[in-house]
Amino acid sequence: MTYIDNTKPNINVDSQQNERIITQKVERQSGLELLRIIAMIIIILYHFVIYSKIDLYSAELVFSSKILRNGGKLGVNIFILISAYFMVNKKFKWTRILNIVIQTFFYSVLFYLIFLSLGRAEFNISSILPVFMPISYMEYTFVTLYVMLMFLSPLLNLFIKKIGKKVHGIICIVLSCVIVLFPYFNMIVLGRASEFPFVNTLVWFVVLYLIAGYIRLYVKSVSQNQKVWLYLLLVVFVTLQMVYTIYIDFRESCYEQALGNTIISIILLLIFKDFKFKNRFINTVASTTFGIFLIHENPYIRGWWWNFLVNTFSNFIKNYVLLALTLTLITFIMFSIIDYIRLKTIHRLTQNLLNKIDKKIETHSNISNKQKE
């Protein structure tokens, strides 16, 4: 891998450059956006397995269900790594968090009202509070933790800026080894049952943030020879992950910080970040992935949607793997279209408001800085 020579990242930019970043919309490279789409597909596949109410422990399905379910937490790792990769060089904005809060609130309330009108939801305090405060009530655990990570991002970016390349790398290695390898050491050497969730998920997200930050700031590009090794490592660890999942311990392989999920997600980030191409369709579809998550993981939609699809298609598609892949793609496409409609309607209105808030905050910040000078 080719590394940047400087030992400390130059995150600071002058005010004119800041202004240019705020006012000019730059189209992203599509490599990581494609990876974002892949991550959402394997997350949906995971949710199909656990929510479709198909007997997973029957002799003919136990093997297939383990394989299909295996990628869910890998997808979570990928999402955090991609988000951190972009956030580490970005100026913190309250409106980014507000945007997530608004989007989550919108889908939470929308589907509650739909199911309430159909007589399939209750109208009482215990039902209403989680609907109107989904992040506080952790209706979507991932979203709550992601928002918390966003709040931490300016402190993490400041920390990354101060420590420099060498210390940054050491911290990433030490934390990863402690969190990822400790359960295996506990099981193999001490003969005790391994327990992966000994660390809070938010702590793990912070570790992923630091890893992605190191890659963004110091790993400039990957040579062709190194890419060959990355592809080989990817094949090796995917194979090992599958073997571990099927024959050793399925439960442990499904945690975000499992060895296979950790290494595979980092390798994928290294590979896809160097795919230098721009495709508007891929970028547009990728922009709907968070909405797809919010829709198909909505507490009211989740059970109903998978039951509806299974009851509709299982009579025509008898093979479990083919059924899982078909329903996953249907879910992805349908909910991507729904979120695309939101992006072109509701989101435009809210984004205009958030842009105005951004400008006011920026103006106030500039005035404050001049007064201090």
Side-chain angles (χ1 to χ4, degrees), residues 172-201:
C172 288
I173 292 171
V174 170
L175 289 178
S176 298
C177 288
V178 170
I179 294 174
V180 174
L181 298 181
F182 175 78
Y184 296 102
F185 174 84
N186 203 27
M187 178 176 61
I188 296 171
V189 178
L190 301 181
R192 299 173 183 172
S194 172
E195 294 197 9
F196 270 94
F198 80 98
V199 63
N200 184 279
T201 305

Side-chain angles (χ1 to χ4, degrees), residues 22 93-96 98-99 102 349-365:
I22 292 168
K93 289 184 180 181
W94 287 100
T95 50
R96 285 201 192 98
L98 279 175
N99 192 30
I102 291 170
L349 297 175
T350 57
Q351 194 59 46
N352 287 336
L353 176 61
L354 294 177
N355 287 339
K356 290 178 182 179
I357 294 173
D358 267 339
K359 288 180 181 178
K360 287 185 178 181
I361 293 174
E362 188 70 21
T363 301
H364 179 74
S365 177

Side-chain angles (χ1 to χ4, degrees), residues 84-152:
Y85 185 84
F86 289 117
M87 277 196 289
V88 73
N89 270 342
K90 280 186 176 179
K91 183 180 178 182
F92 177 79
K93 289 184 180 181
W94 287 100
T95 50
R96 285 201 192 98
I97 296 176
L98 279 175
N99 192 30
I100 291 175
V101 171
I102 291 170
Q103 187 178 355
T104 307
F105 174 85
F106 170 76
Y107 281 123
S108 180
V109 173
L110 173 66
F111 291 120
Y112 172 73
L113 293 177
I114 290 173
F115 277 76
L116 184 66
S117 67
L118 296 173
R120 303 186 65 171
E122 297 180 358
F123 184 75
N124 52 51
I125 294 296
S126 61
S127 298
I128 292 175
L129 286 178
V131 168
F132 284 86
M133 295 187 290
I135 294 178
S136 299
Y137 276 79
M138 296 190 74
E139 288 293 282
Y140 303 92
T141 304
F142 171 79
V143 178
T144 302
L145 295 175
Y146 182 66
V147 168
M148 293 171 70
L149 183 66
M150 292 185 74
F151 274 116
L152 291 173

Side-chain angles (χ1 to χ4, degrees), residues 11 17 37 55 61 69 78 85 155 165 174 183 229 237 247 282 285 298 315 324 332 354:
I11 297 177
Q17 190 175 355
I37 292 171
D55 183 11
L61 294 186
R69 184 177 173 179
I78 292 170
Y85 185 84
L155 294 176
K165 176 182 173 181
V174 170
W229 283 105
F237 277 98
Y247 298 108
I282 289 176
V285 174
N298 179 273
N315 292 328
F332 185 94
L354 294 177

Side-chain angles (χ1 to χ4, degrees), residues 189-328:
V189 178
L190 301 181
R192 299 173 183 172
S194 172
E195 294 197 9
F196 270 94
F198 80 98
V199 63
N200 184 279
T201 305
L202 179 61
V203 175
W204 176 242
F205 285 0
V206 169
V207 174
L208 291 177
Y209 193 102
L210 294 174
I211 292 171
Y214 185 91
I215 293 172
R216 178 63 187 269
L217 296 173
Y218 303 117
V219 183
K220 188 174 181 181
S221 62
V222 179
S223 69
Q224 290 302 318
N225 289 335
Q226 289 165 341
K227 281 182 182 178
V228 172
W229 283 105
L230 284 177
Y231 283 118
L232 288 174
L233 283 173
L234 182 62
V235 172
V236 168
F237 277 98
V238 168
T239 303
L240 291 174
Q241 177 77 350
M242 293 302 178
V243 171
Y244 192 88
T245 297
I246 296 166
Y247 298 108
I248 300 178
D249 198 320
F250 165 65
R251 182 181 64 86
E252 289 172 1
S253 69
C254 287
Y255 290 115
E256 290 94 341
Q257 58 267 43
L259 179 62
N261 286 337
T262 302
I263 294 178
I264 293 169
S265 59
I266 294 171
I267 291 174
L268 288 173
L269 179 68
L270 288 168
I271 291 173
F272 277 83
K273 80 178 185 65
D274 281 349
F275 287 169
K276 303 298 182 183
F277 70 100
K278 292 182 180 180
N279 184 289
R280 184 170 294 182
F281 177 76
I282 289 176
N283 291 357
T284 300
V285 174
S287 70
T288 67
T289 51
F290 189 70
I292 294 170
F293 175 83
L294 292 175
I295 298 171
H296 91 279
E297 268 295 273
N298 179 273
Y300 292 99
I301 288 290
R302 190 166 53 206
W304 169 82
W305 176 253
W306 291 119
N307 286 338
F308 168 74
L309 288 184
V310 170
N311 292 334
T312 303
F313 289 92
S314 59
N315 292 328
F316 307 100
I317 305 174
K318 300 299 183 181
N319 181 272
Y320 177 75
V321 174
L322 183 59
L323 178 67
L325 295 174
T326 301
L327 300 192
T328 294

